[in-house]
Amino acid sequence: MSLLLRDDIVTSRLTLIAITPEMLLSEKNGDGRLSELIQCVVPANWPLKDWEPHVFDFLLAQFAEHPEQLGWPRYVSFVPPGGRRTLIGSLGAFTNAGRPAECEIGYSIAAPYEGRGFATEGGRALIEYLRGDERLSSVIAHTFPWIPASIRVMEKCGMVFDGEGEEAGTIRYRLVLRC
């Protein structure tokens, strides 16, 4: 795999930092090195409320099984006016077993930074990055129908409603990358 796949993705306001197994293990073990590894201020309330403990194991297993997906999960950083580069969220993608041409994306932005378009900006950049993988034909995302902000992010990223989600009560959105 080319090291270019691990380079930061830079948008007008954000830097999306490729998550590595070393970073995940540092975060999981709470060894205090995450800030150094990603060169960001890590907020005291990190990880985000939606970041469940099993996510570490899930991502580590994904990297082991699909090393070509290194670069799909990303930390989201932002430099506030007069401040230092700060970790404000995470986003990423993964494939589901049996559907290797389809990847699912997810995103989460820390509460103080919600509602400012960061999830949309990061989501669009990640989708453009994924568009470069010719094995992928579509991108999906799931949410609950009572989370309009999440639905707006998906729609602004070009996704359209695609039916019920896999988890009870969820809905799915899809973006076709290529036929």
Side-chain angles (χ1 to χ4, degrees):
M1 173 193 335
S2 165
L3 287 177
L4 293 176
L5 296 177
R6 296 186 199 152
D7 286 350
D8 291 346
I9 298 171
V10 180
T11 71
S12 64
R13 301 181 298 166
L14 305 173
T15 301
L16 308 180
I17 305 160
I19 296 174
T20 65
E22 180 183 16
M23 293 169 186
L24 284 173
L25 290 170
S26 173
E27 189 175 355
K28 179 180 181 179
N29 297 332
D31 66 13
R33 293 182 41 236
L34 183 61
S35 180
E36 172 190 332
L37 292 171
I38 65 173
Q39 299 177 354
C40 283
V41 172
V42 176
N45 63 346
W46 189 264
L48 299 172
K49 65 182 178 193
D50 298 328
W51 191 264
E52 299 173 28
H54 76 274
V55 171
F56 295 114
D57 296 329
F58 173 80
L59 288 175
L60 289 167
Q62 281 292 113
F63 288 152
E65 190 173 333
H66 302 283
E68 73 280 4
Q69 293 179 16
L70 190 62
W72 290 17
R74 301 274 174 160
Y75 290 115
V76 179
S77 69
F78 171 69
V79 179
R84 294 179 38 216
R85 186 162 103 156
T86 301
L87 178 61
I88 65 165
S90 63
L91 54 79
F94 62 92
T95 55
N96 291 314
R99 295 190 306 257
E102 173 183 276
C103 72
E104 181 169 351
I105 64 168
Y107 41 85
S108 186
I109 300 295
Y113 298 94
E114 290 177 336
R116 295 167 56 182
F118 294 131
T120 300
E121 187 173 329
R124 285 177 175 162
L126 179 63
I127 289 169
E128 279 308 305
Y129 174 81
L130 294 169
R131 198 180 291 278
D133 190 326
E134 299 208 358
R135 295 169 295 187
L136 296 174
S137 61
S138 66
V139 175
I140 63 168
H142 292 90
T143 192
F144 291 99
W146 57 84
I147 307 178
S150 185
I151 293 169
R152 278 193 308 277
V153 169
M154 290 184 280
E155 291 173 344
K156 288 179 179 180
C157 287
M159 303 176 98
V160 296
F161 180 76
D162 190 46
E164 291 184 17
E166 295 174 19
E167 187 179 325
T170 63
I171 54 176
R172 179 181 56 245
Y173 277 68
R174 177 180 305 275
L175 173 65
V176 175
L177 300 175
R178 59 186 58 82
C179 298

